[in-house]
Amino acid sequence: MSKQFLAFDIGGTTIKYALVDEQLNLSHTGKVATEQNKDGHILNELLDIAAEFQGNYQIDAIGVSTAGIVGADGGILYAGPTIPGYQGTPIQEKLAEETNLPVFVVNDVDAALLGETVDGVAKNVETAYCVALGTGIGGAYLLDGKLDSGTHSYANSIGYILYDQESKTYFEQRASTLALEDSLKSDGISVIDAFEKAKQNDEHYLAVIENWAYEVARGLAEVVLLFDPEILVIGGAVSQQGEFLLDILRKQMSQLIPKGLFQTELKIAKLTDKAQLYGAISKFV
């Protein structure tokens, strides 16, 4: 019988979950609210859902993708204010103790990159970097087929690079999708609609997007020059703009990187909402 794994994906507002088999088929999917982690709600939900699944299905291991920085012990080493009281949560320890199953806990951007190595654009790639553009900006680095998160697990916190003293902002405050959304508020238009107008050669929206893309490219250029990965994967909802977005980013990056040093291939993440779930169980398939 094919092995089955319970996968979780914990974000700021929801916990998604699914049963995943060795052929990567997803079933019994669902989601619950994080309730801002009141009284340790997230861990309690994980334990309750795991107990319910274990009581009804064959479960061979559990994988957890989560926001925040994950320590070597599978606990939350650092968590921002979006999930109150989350820092220090011993996810791996408690899940393993309650279920007596192998448990793998990984940061959500790391999970997205691992998912792409399982069945996406990073499959059979040895070195890859993933940049997730969303409310913030996260990074993940695959070196020789393994995640590299640094000595203290803080590596790839690229949202905090390129601090600007004048504006007192970090990279992600200028280059996240949220930053682009904020720049469009005065026009009363969404990011998706702005891209559509830019694709129709609307000069105003093309300029707005190119200005934002320049800020994104500044961070991507740092990644290319520091890590020289085989591929650089762009994730997050805005990545659905596909080649149009990549063309703008390539153009901007080419101006920021000395000629001949930009050999990395830019790619759009393939798996969208499945990436973190696949990445969570990647250790077991």
Side-chain angles (χ1 to χ4, degrees):
M1 180 183 288
S2 175
K3 289 184 177 180
Q4 295 188 118
F5 314 102
L6 177 57
F8 291 101
D9 177 22
I10 304 167
T13 58
T14 61
I15 303 169
K16 299 174 185 176
Y17 58 88
L19 207 55
V20 188
D21 65 21
E22 289 180 294
Q23 290 72 46
L24 304 179
N25 297 307
L26 273 69
S27 63
H28 303 87
T29 59
K31 64 180 179 179
V32 294
T34 60
E35 303 287 351
Q36 293 191 305
N37 198 36
K38 184 179 179 181
D39 300 323
H41 181 78
I42 291 175
L43 181 57
N44 291 331
E45 283 287 359
L46 297 184
L47 293 172
D48 288 348
I49 293 168
E52 182 180 348
F53 269 81
Q54 201 170 23
N56 290 289
Y57 308 102
Q58 169 206 325
I59 307 293
D60 294 279
I62 298 173
V64 181
S65 160
T66 178
I69 296 174
V70 178
D73 62 354
I76 303 302
L77 192 62
Y78 174 81
T82 52
I83 310 182
Y86 196 42
Q87 191 164 314
T89 302
I91 295 177
Q92 181 175 306
E93 177 188 337
K94 291 298 183 182
L95 273 175
E97 184 180 287
E98 292 295 320
T99 65
N100 200 32
L101 292 173
V103 178
F104 176 52
V105 184
V106 63
N107 163 265
D108 52 1
V109 183
D110 287 341
L113 179 53
L114 287 174
E116 293 291 336
T117 69
V118 170
D119 193 37
V121 296
K123 192 172 183 178
N124 301 319
V125 170
E126 288 297 307
T127 60
Y129 205 99
C130 178
V131 174
L133 301 172
T135 304
I137 297 179
Y141 182 37
L142 190 78
L143 176 64
D144 296 329
K146 296 179 181 178
L147 286 176
D148 186 346
S149 299
T151 302
H152 306 100
S153 301
Y154 295 151
N156 309 309
S157 300
I158 63 168
Y160 302 118
I161 67 173
L162 297 172
Y163 180 74
D164 179 69
Q165 183 65 42
E166 186 174 337
S167 63
K168 296 190 174 1
T169 58
Y170 294 102
F171 172 50
E172 71 177 12
Q173 292 170 290
R174 303 186 302 273
S176 65
T177 307
L178 183 61
L180 176 58
E181 188 178 292
D182 286 344
S183 72
L184 292 166
K185 277 184 178 177
S186 59
D187 290 338
I189 190 172
S190 70
V191 169
I192 292 173
D193 289 340
F195 266 99
E196 287 307 308
K197 287 185 177 294
K199 290 172 186 176
Q200 295 163 18
N201 294 317
D202 183 301
E203 291 185 5
H204 171 68
Y205 291 108
L206 192 55
V208 170
I209 288 170
E210 285 186 338
N211 287 338
W212 166 78
Y214 170 75
E215 293 294 344
V216 177
R218 287 182 63 203
L220 300 185
E222 301 282 304
V223 168
V224 168
L225 292 170
L226 285 170
F227 299 102
D228 186 30
E230 183 179 339
I231 64 170
L232 176 53
V233 182
I234 306 299
V238 74
S239 69
Q240 292 175 23
Q241 299 303 323
E243 283 299 319
F244 181 79
L245 173 61
L246 291 189
D247 285 344
I248 293 175
L249 291 175
R250 288 188 192 104
K251 175 186 171 184
Q252 301 284 12
M253 291 172 69
S254 294
Q255 299 175 51
L256 296 166
I257 300 173
K259 190 174 181 179
L261 297 185
F262 186 13
Q263 303 297 320
T264 296
E265 184 178 1
L266 264 60
K267 293 200 170 192
I268 292 293
K270 170 186 171 184
L271 298 176
T272 61
D273 59 345
K274 293 180 182 178
Q276 280 90 349
L277 292 172
Y278 283 173
I281 56 93
S282 60
K283 186 175 180 179
F284 309 116
V285 295

